[in-house]
């Protein structure tokens, strides 16, 4: 699905460096938000010697502890706020749960956090797990599929998005189940590029091929080109990373004009 009736604009915010609230500072001509989805980047998957568990560094924990001031202002503007989760060099990740029970246990832990803090969903990113470290298993064909199935059951009305990278990207189907049938969006993980990656079951109207790093000062012409290709190609999302604290309305407008027919105002 698209975000409402329009292409979803996505902002990954590395909260170690920048404020999530930057996402809400951009508005369109009609007063609506320029961005649809803000991603808290990122929670980690740690390993305690037996099982994977969810972990937050002090900056992510600060956002969660202060949702009333860090998250609710965005949600009140119609921006969905999701929590990204990825590995932490300890051998545990979404691609190597040893069985269905282990996948379900971590899905329960993650869904509990989403509900506790009233977030709008989760983003799944299979990076930095270092599979095999600390005696952990290697990626297997069923882990990711079982995990997403369990997560979807526990979060039926929340967003689940997939950053198409890592071993999970190579293990999206198992025993008739397809990750693309269970997630809301998936997208290209390589900033500065426009690429299609296969996500069986996911229509193009839920996929984002364009990805730009706003922290690297890309040219407005490149952003505009990617946005126009997104609109013309029937894609469902446009992904950005590291929106900066200052006024980047020229770059944001290069995205919003082709996508929504409106410039973006910084305020």
């Amino acid at each position: 699905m698209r975000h409402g009736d329009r292409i979803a604009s996505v902002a990954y915010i590395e909260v170690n460096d920048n404020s999530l609230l930057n996402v809400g500072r951009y508005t369109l001509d009609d007063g609506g938000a320029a961005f649809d989805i803000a991603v808290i980047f990122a929670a980690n998957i740690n390993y305690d010697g037996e099982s994977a568990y969810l972990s937050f560094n002090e900056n992510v924990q600060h956002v969660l502890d202060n949702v009333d001031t860090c998250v609710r202002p965005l949600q009140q503007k119609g921006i969905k706020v999701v929590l990204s989760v990825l590995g932490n060099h300890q051998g545990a990740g979404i691609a190597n749960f040893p069985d269905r029970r282990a996948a379900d246990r971590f899905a329960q832990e993650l869904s509990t956090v989403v509900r506790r803090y009233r977030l709008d969903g989760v983003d799944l990113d299979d990076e930095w797990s270092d599979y095999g470290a600390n005696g952990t298993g290697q990626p297997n064909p069923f882990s990711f599929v079982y995990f997403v199935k369990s997560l979807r059951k526990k979060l039926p009305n929340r967003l689940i998005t997939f950053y198409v990278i890592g071993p999970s990207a190579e293990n999206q189907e198992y025993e008739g189940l397809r990750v693309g049938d269970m997630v809301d969006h998936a997208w290209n993980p390589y900033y500065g590029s426009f690429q299609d990656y296969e996500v069986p079951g996911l229509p193009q109207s839920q996929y984002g091929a364009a990805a730009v790093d706003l922290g690297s000062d890309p040219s407005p012409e490149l952003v505009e080109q990617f946005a126009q290709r997104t609109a013309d190609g029937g894609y469902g999302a446009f992904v950005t990373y590291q929106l900066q604290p200052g006024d980047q309305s020229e770059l944001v407008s290069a995205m919003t004009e082709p996508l929504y027919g409106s410039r973006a105002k910084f305020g």
Side-chain angles (χ1 to χ4, degrees):
M1 69 188 75
R2 294 192 180 193
H3 185 85
D5 59 354
R6 75 179 197 178
I7 298 166
S9 47
V10 183
Y12 277 81
I13 301 298
E14 172 68 76
V15 296
N16 290 342
D17 303 321
N18 287 314
S19 170
L20 197 69
L21 294 173
N22 293 339
V23 182
R25 300 189 69 178
Y26 293 86
T27 55
L28 302 177
D29 291 339
D30 63 4
F35 288 96
D36 297 300
I37 301 172
V39 184
I40 303 168
F41 191 79
N44 290 116
I45 307 171
N46 284 3
Y47 186 65
D48 65 7
E50 294 183 0
S51 303
Y53 69 94
L54 194 60
S55 176
F56 311 119
N57 71 20
E58 61 181 8
N59 298 299
V60 174
Q61 189 64 61
H62 175 81
V63 171
L64 297 178
D65 288 342
N66 295 276
V67 288
D68 286 345
T69 55
C70 294
V71 172
R72 300 289 175 259
L74 301 184
Q75 293 174 323
Q76 289 163 4
K77 295 178 180 185
I79 301 169
K80 302 291 187 182
V81 179
V82 305
L83 177 66
S84 188
V85 58
L86 75 167
N88 197 22
H89 308 283
Q90 297 183 19
I94 56 179
N96 74 336
F97 293 115
D99 52 39
R100 191 187 298 264
R101 178 177 294 182
D104 187 68
R105 183 168 52 243
F106 190 77
Q108 180 62 57
E109 185 177 0
L110 183 54
S111 64
T112 296
V113 168
V114 169
R115 293 182 182 280
R116 176 184 301 147
Y117 296 105
R118 289 189 287 133
L119 303 177
D120 297 296
V122 297
D123 175 67
L124 307 176
D125 183 349
D126 193 10
E127 296 183 277
W128 317 120
S129 291
D130 289 356
Y131 292 113
N134 296 313
T136 56
Q138 291 298 316
N140 61 61
F142 57 79
S143 172
F144 185 48
V145 177
Y146 283 167
F147 171 61
V148 174
K149 180 184 179 183
S150 179
L151 196 60
R152 174 48 74 203
K153 183 177 180 180
K154 298 176 192 306
L155 297 173
N157 301 312
R158 301 303 214 281
L159 289 174
I160 300 176
T161 64
F162 176 33
Y163 195 78
V164 188
I165 199 169
S168 291
E170 300 167 7
N171 293 284
Q172 298 184 52
E173 299 182 79
Y174 189 74
E175 293 184 341
L177 294 171
R178 302 187 300 182
V179 166
D181 292 323
M182 298 182 283
V183 301
D184 296 285
H185 288 291
W187 36 65
N188 166 27
Y190 295 105
Y191 298 109
S193 72
F194 192 103
Q195 299 188 53
D196 285 294
Y197 290 98
E198 187 175 4
V199 182
L202 188 86
Q204 190 155 295
S205 60
Q206 292 173 238
Y207 181 78
V212 295
D213 179 356
L214 297 176
S216 69
D217 196 28
S219 71
E221 291 76 18
L222 178 68
V223 176
E224 182 180 10
Q225 177 192 30
F226 282 3
Q228 193 63 59
R229 288 178 66 183
T230 296
D232 293 344
Y235 293 95
F238 187 101
V239 176
T240 72
Y241 176 72
Q242 212 55 326
L243 184 69
Q244 297 297 293
D247 184 352
Q248 289 192 294
S249 55
E250 182 180 9
L251 285 174
V252 177
S253 293
M255 174 191 74
T256 60
E257 284 190 297
L259 296 186
Y260 312 133
S262 170
R263 289 191 60 78
K265 181 189 298 184
F266 178 77

